[in-house]
Amino acid sequence: MAVELAIVAPVILVVLVVVIDTLAASLGEGLFVIKAAEQLKDGVALDAIEEAIRAQVPSMCQSFTVDDLKYLKNTGRVSGAAAIIGNVLSIHPILIYEGKIVVKAKVRGMKRTLDALAERYAELALSKTETIGIAHADNEEGKAYLVQRLRDKGLTGKCLSVCYEPVTGSHVGPGTVALFFFGTDRMG
């Protein structure tokens, strides 16, 4: 009986948690978590992992584009007039995060916009063998096109992909495609 009690006795676990503001969202955060988990699995000390992740924060490049500007209008990111004119002219913004979401460029046509995202990757990627992330809002075709363009630009690393959940999807709208990678200049 004593042996049985010892087996079912509660075990107290001590869990160390390190909080780091990655200045990232979505798969940007995910890529940091994956790097940390890989280092932990390799036996790297927690303080060394923390130091390495903090050092990489400035290199997380994250950009996205939307298919329909009405979702940016609904969240106050563009005016009603800009949304209407942009949709009529098929203008797709490339948005990045600089403490807030800002327009980096405006491109006509979704394929050209995805080409511009791939070009941004080609110019800024630290290593084309690194794992990257692509998130999308019900846009498998756009994701597949972007992956092919990234491969054409030299990407040999893994590409993680997720479809946005309803909360994020309601802010950016269907057709959104986002790209996350480690680069030389997150604002580039």
Side-chain angles (χ1 to χ4, degrees), residues 154-165:
L155 171 67
T156 58
K158 286 191 266 182
C159 178
L160 303 177
S161 175
V162 297
C163 188
Y164 277 129
E165 86 300 334

Side-chain angles (χ1 to χ4, degrees), residues 136-167:
H136 66 92
D138 197 25
N139 191 350
E140 281 289 332
E141 182 180 324
K143 179 207 75 165
Y145 181 83
L146 180 56
V147 169
Q148 185 54 57
R149 296 300 294 132
L150 293 168
R151 296 285 182 213
D152 293 345
K153 299 284 184 186
L155 171 67
T156 58
K158 286 191 266 182
C159 178
L160 303 177
S161 175
V162 297
C163 188
Y164 277 129
E165 86 300 334
V167 173

Side-chain angles (χ1 to χ4, degrees), residues 32-95:
F32 282 114
V33 171
I34 290 167
K35 280 185 171 276
E38 288 171 348
Q39 291 176 21
L40 191 60
K41 183 180 174 185
D42 291 343
V44 178
L46 187 59
D47 58 338
I49 295 171
E50 178 184 2
E51 184 178 326
I53 297 298
R54 287 188 190 281
Q56 291 180 314
V57 166
S59 67
M60 172 49 63
C61 297
Q62 46 192 349
S63 51
F64 69 99
T65 189
V66 299
D67 193 41
D68 189 333
L69 295 172
K70 77 177 181 183
Y71 294 91
L72 296 182
K73 178 187 80 68
N74 292 344
T75 60
R77 299 199 193 293
V78 299
S79 70
I84 291 169
I85 292 167
N87 281 337
V88 167
L89 296 176
S90 190
I91 295 174
H92 301 278
I94 294 178
L95 301 132

